[in-house]
Amino acid sequence: MFIDQDGFENALKYSGKSLIIGIETLGKSHPFVAEVYNNMGEIHLEQGNLDTAHECFQNSLSILQNAGDPENEAHVLKNMEKLYRTKGDWSKALKYYETAQAIHQDN
């Protein structure tokens, strides 16, 4: 899939608005907020903004772990695995992959 820079900027703009609305209406620990953080992380990952992507994925993961949402937690873990593969950190990538697989097997 190809998205130009304007597409990424628009996606981040509207994701930021969704994040604010989600936090204001549902609270900062709601799974919807976690989903928005994950989506923003995916955008940053595609742009190569790895530190920002990591922060977004960590925020999402924290919310989902506290909410007890293993299915979506596994999805975020797979994104963390992709992030560490992109960084070339194969041991961390493998750790996240294995954790996501274990969650899928348990559910």
Side-chain angles (χ1 to χ4, degrees):
M1 174 172 68
F2 175 78
I3 299 176
D4 63 15
Q5 189 60 32
D6 288 339
F8 282 126
E9 294 305 319
N10 282 332
L12 285 173
K13 174 183 168 185
Y14 291 111
S15 293
K17 289 179 180 186
S18 293
L19 182 64
I20 291 167
I21 292 168
I23 291 171
E24 288 176 351
T25 58
L26 302 169
K28 64 182 180 179
S29 60
H30 194 276
F32 173 79
V33 174
E35 183 179 340
V36 175
Y37 275 125
N38 184 58
N39 292 342
M40 291 174 78
E42 289 177 336
I43 295 165
H44 284 293
L45 181 59
E46 288 295 320
Q47 288 186 300
N49 301 327
L50 303 183
D51 291 338
T52 305
H54 185 268
E55 183 180 335
C56 290
F57 293 145
Q58 281 298 121
N59 288 337
S60 180
L61 196 55
S62 177
I63 293 167
L64 294 169
Q65 287 170 335
N66 289 329
D69 186 346
E71 184 177 317
N72 286 318
E73 181 183 337
H75 181 75
V76 177
L77 288 168
K78 286 182 181 179
N79 284 334
M80 291 289 282
E81 178 256 336
K82 183 177 179 182
L83 176 116
Y84 280 105
R85 271 191 296 119
T86 301
K87 286 184 169 189
D89 190 336
W90 304 106
S91 63
K92 282 189 181 178
L94 181 60
K95 180 188 100 170
Y96 283 106
Y97 172 80
E98 290 174 341
T99 304
Q101 288 301 107
I103 290 171
H104 280 302
Q105 289 175 353
D106 289 344
N107 292 302

